[in-house]
Amino acid sequence: MDQLRVGIIGTGRISDLHALEYLENPRARIAAVCDNNLDIAQERGRRWGVPENRIYTDYHDLLALPDIDLVDILLPHHLHYQATLDAAAAGKHISLQKPMALTVAQADDMITAANKAGVIFRVFENFIFYPPVQQAKALVDAGEIGELLTIRIKSNSGTSATAWEVPASAQAWRFDYAKNGGGPLVFDDGHHKFALAWHFMGMAEQVHAWIGQTEIAPGTGMFLDSPAIVSWKFANNRYGSLEVVNSPEMAINTIYYAQDDRVELTGTKGVIWITRGHGNMLDVPPVILYRDNQMRTFTNVPSDWKYSFMNATRHFIDSYFKGETPRLTGEQGREVLRFTLAAQESAHTGQTVRLS
Ligand SMILES: NC(=O)c1ccc[n+]([C@@H]2O[C@H](COP(=O)([O-])OP(=O)(O)OC[C@H]3O[C@@H](n4cnc5c(N)ncnc54)[C@H](O)[C@@H]3O)[C@@H](O)[C@H]2O)c1
């Protein structure tokens, strides 16, 4: 078999960015789609060239197809658990959007199910495949800023006239904390920020968080988990922090979500800035390095956020054909989930959570 036949389960907002690499890469093909909203399934399926009789509203029908090798699960969080167990039982390889589950116990079951079925199970975390992050990691690994001491992540959200459209249905489950698993910013989007901290610094030993609650408009009952401050203690006297803040009247320059991020990595010899994420708040190069009294800029790094998705998808395809294990493994996804959940626990109890 020289082509991976992919079934996409959940063809909502983010599926557009998942499809990009599958449509371009000759070693993969979108061979079936499923969404319980038939209109959405048909709109995406037709656009991606999926035959009409392979567009489903019940994912069990897609899982029953013998010629599907991999399922890309892009469902709301509370459905990740059962869909993964069902996909493993059907013998399909699995790429599952973050966060893998709502609890660590669920994550354990999912890893066990995939291992028992002998299928590949990877958690899709695109931020570590974002080219500016890859560039920064290469610089850190090359010792350009010496020994890494701290990581500081800042996440802004606001409003945007240029952002892509997010349907109300994609917001509804996100503001239902029982379905999302936490808040839209610190838990849901926050997974990416915890994954970045884990990627650069390793697993934290201790986590502390204050997570505020702001109703998006009076009487809506929809609460954003902002402003928030999370602090991390890593092994060997290293630290980090995440600040998340929503500014409802701040316009953000983006073609994706009305959001942007920055990462600052400080080492014994210098500092690296990753100056963007979803958007382009700062008109500066995507990666900047300071050391030895001098600033070096990395201007040719692709910084459209879509490349994080394309690279993450290509990574799975390449790994599959090389017989290698793609990232995040289920176990790595579980670690990032545990890290992310620690902030939720700390915010609720007011206590520092010890992870090791
Ligand atoms: N990596 C990122 O940067 C990023 C960005 C956005 C979303 N996500 C993740 O992608 C996933 C989906 O998010 P989204 O924004 O596309 O949400 P969405 O609500 O737009 O899409 C989810 C889709 O699943 C469908 N669905 C719901 N129940 C179903 C069922 N039982 N069977 C089949 N289809 C069903 C819905 O109709 C919807 O179209 C989530 O895990 C989210 O965290 C990741």
Side-chain angles (χ1 to χ4, degrees), residues 229-252:
I229 299 273
V230 186
S231 47
W232 302 307
K233 179 180 188 305
F234 299 95
N236 304 321
N237 203 29
R238 296 171 311 134
Y239 298 88
S241 65
L242 166 66
E243 180 185 321
V244 174
V245 56
N246 182 65
S247 304
E249 293 163 37
M250 180 170 73
I252 295 186

Side-chain angles (χ1 to χ4, degrees), residues 9-15 18 34-37 40 57-59 73-77 79-80 97-99 124-127 167 169-171 173-174 188-189 192 257 278 305 309:
I9 299 179
T11 56
R13 177 66 278 183
I14 211 61
S15 68
H18 282 255
C34 169
D35 197 291
N36 67 353
N37 180 325
I40 290 178
T57 53
D58 181 338
Y59 71 71
I73 300 177
L74 313 178
L75 294 171
H77 303 164
L79 303 175
H80 287 188
Q97 257 287 5
K98 50 50 68 177
F124 189 98
E125 176 42 83
N126 51 305
F127 273 47
S169 56
Q171 297 289 15
W173 63 263
R174 280 196 163 80
D188 178 351
D189 184 65
H192 303 301
Y257 298 98
H278 300 72
W305 189 55
F309 287 82

Side-chain angles (χ1 to χ4, degrees), residues 163-184:
W164 64 2
E165 195 192 331
V166 181
S169 56
Q171 297 289 15
W173 63 263
R174 280 196 163 80
F175 280 93
D176 179 342
Y177 281 34
K179 290 183 175 166
N180 188 342

Side-chain angles (χ1 to χ4, degrees), residues 80-82 84-86 88-89 94 100-101 103-117 121 330-331 334 337:
H80 287 188
Y81 176 65
Q82 193 58 49
T84 299
L85 297 186
D86 291 343
I94 299 160
M100 66 189 290
T103 66
V104 173
Q106 286 184 341
D108 286 336
D109 286 353
M110 294 152 86
I111 293 166
T112 303
N115 287 342
K116 203 170 136 201
F121 176 31
E331 288 77 6
R334 179 189 183 280
L337 176 67

